[in-house]
Amino acid sequence: MIELFVQHGHAAIVTCPGDSCTQWTPNARWTLRGWRGNDWETTGEIVTRGEDFVTAIAAGDTTTLLTVKRMINLADGIQTETALSWPSSVTSSHMFDPSQPLDQQRPKTPFPFPLTYLYRPEFRPTTPLKAWPVGAVLVTSKHIFVGYSVGEWGGGLKRIDRLTGILSEIEDVDGDLCGGNLNPACDPVNGIAIIPWRPDCIAVAIGLIHMSSHGRMVEVCDNAVRPLYTHEIQAHPATTPGGPDRIMWTTTTAFFGLQQTGEDLLAMGHDGLYQISRGDTVRQIPLPHFKDVDGVAVSFDIPGLVLVLTTANRRFSVSSSTPMLVPR
């Protein structure tokens, strides 16, 4: 099995033949199965063409499988596909001055090893999407948003036009290493949700614990990214030799989940729940009581949601058990 998701209110999986079944394993086909009654029912077969699998999501009557090269839709027994592509315009990197020849300048932020080739203006990956671990997916009427979560290696946010297959990178970076509100090199995306009071915009949850906690909530409207909420936990001072104390870095809440609940957003931070409401007002909520159900710690105290305590985040984040927010 390479994917587990919800389809028509039931569990659905994507599998492949053979004993070695991962999103990076070459396979002849992928099989889509849905849980019906007391058994799995095959609902689709997809020829892989040798490319890597990315993720799958169901919205309404359509189930969409994303590979690194195409968007495959299955609805009413009919399979259609759209090739993924970059827009024709190419954006140069923020790390270099585009007005100067690349071989005559140095990056604004020093690196311990040369990364110049990553920031050439003409550089593009060989495939539009990456077969990286996906932290969150959201389907709207016009777009599919894919949030990557690769721990200390970053993440980022991609947006796919459902009609044309054109893919855009949504980012907000500055000249500092890991600077900006949504930096693909440093910001794992763990949750995406439509903002109830701004239905044309989405909220994005960013979070990582690696030596210290780091995260924020941001708002994305079209290509504009702005801060939505950051919870500062502690500022760590460092002493400069021969000089006064100065602030070296700040610890912030890492967010590992996000769901729309009525007219509000509910974000899962590593230190508790955060309710974000119209006017960007935020209220911190203590975690509810969990009970053991067949060895799984769950809570049904919040209407419309099930909280499931899991250690899944430990794969890429040095975090303790963090609840998943599961709609019901």
Side-chain angles (χ1 to χ4, degrees):
M1 183 181 73
I2 56 176
E3 185 66 293
L4 169 67
F5 62 105
V6 177
Q7 180 190 56
H8 307 307
H10 300 280
I13 57 176
V14 180
T15 65
C16 52
D19 297 330
S20 179
C21 185
T22 71
Q23 66 184 113
W24 305 284
T25 303
N27 288 283
R29 70 179 185 278
W30 294 306
T31 302
L32 180 64
R33 292 183 169 92
W35 185 256
R36 303 291 184 269
N38 296 313
D39 203 357
W40 294 104
E41 175 185 315
T42 299
T43 58
E45 296 275 355
I46 298 95
V47 177
T48 67
R49 299 182 190 168
E51 77 260 51
D52 293 332
F53 178 88
V54 177
T55 191
I57 188 171
D61 296 328
T62 302
T63 298
T64 300
L65 273 68
L66 291 176
T67 78
V68 294
K69 296 181 178 179
R70 49 188 175 133
M71 174 173 54
I72 305 164
N73 294 318
L74 297 98
D76 300 324
I78 299 174
Q79 179 177 321
T80 59
E81 67 176 68
T82 304
L84 301 179
S85 63
W86 288 100
S88 56
S89 61
V90 176
T91 302
S92 59
S93 167
H94 294 268
M95 302 301 294
F96 292 89
D97 181 357
S99 66
Q100 300 294 325
L102 193 64
D103 58 358
Q104 297 179 18
Q105 60 179 306
R106 297 180 61 84
K108 298 175 184 176
T109 301
F111 289 95
F113 47 87
L115 292 178
T116 303
Y117 71 95
L118 288 178
Y119 299 97
R120 291 185 183 278
E122 72 273 16
F123 174 77
R124 277 287 186 257
T126 55
T127 56
L129 285 183
K130 299 175 182 178
W132 283 5
V134 173
V137 183
L138 176 69
V139 179
T140 68
S141 59
K142 296 181 179 179
H143 300 106
I144 298 177
F145 293 89
V146 180
Y148 286 108
S149 180
V150 204
E152 63 181 297
W153 304 110
L157 180 67
K158 309 281 190 181
R159 181 182 61 207
I160 303 167
D161 187 299
R162 296 180 64 184
L163 181 62
T164 65
I166 293 177
L167 183 143
S168 303
E169 177 110 44
I170 306 298
E171 63 179 16
D172 179 83
V173 303
D174 60 28
D176 294 329
L177 183 64
C178 291
N181 294 309
L182 181 52
N183 191 323
C186 305
D187 291 336
V189 171
N190 302 312
I192 311 170
I194 294 174
I195 300 177
W197 56 94
R198 298 188 187 98
D200 293 331
C201 303
I202 62 170
V204 178
I206 296 167
L208 170 67
I209 299 179
H210 182 69
M211 294 184 285
S212 63
S213 61
H214 150 80
R216 71 187 71 89
M217 300 286 300
V218 300
E219 174 189 280
V220 177
C221 300
D222 195 13
N223 290 323
V225 181
R226 78 167 186 91
L228 183 59
Y229 178 69
T230 301
H231 179 229
E232 182 177 311
I233 300 173
Q234 184 179 5
H236 302 269
T239 302
T240 304
D245 288 350
R246 63 186 177 87
I247 299 301
M248 185 175 182
W249 77 88
T250 301
T251 299
T252 54
T253 294
F255 292 100
F256 292 107
L258 179 65
Q259 290 289 339
Q260 179 182 343
T261 57
E263 294 301 312
D264 301 317
L265 292 171
L266 193 65
M268 185 70 252
H270 79 277
D271 55 355
L273 289 163
Y274 292 78
Q275 184 183 53
I276 305 174
S277 305
R278 185 183 296 271
D280 298 348
T281 59
V282 180
R283 181 169 68 96
Q284 190 168 3
I285 304 172
L287 285 176
H289 173 72
F290 287 82
K291 62 181 180 180
D292 185 278
V293 178
D294 294 331
V296 180
V298 298
S299 173
F300 299 92
D301 291 353
I302 299 177
L305 290 176
V306 180
L307 273 64
V308 183
L309 204 59
T310 174
T311 59
N313 289 323
R314 291 184 187 176
R315 181 180 181 187
F316 292 106
S317 181
V318 188
S319 54
S320 58
S321 298
T322 306
M324 290 191 301
L325 305 177
V326 183
R328 59 178 169 129

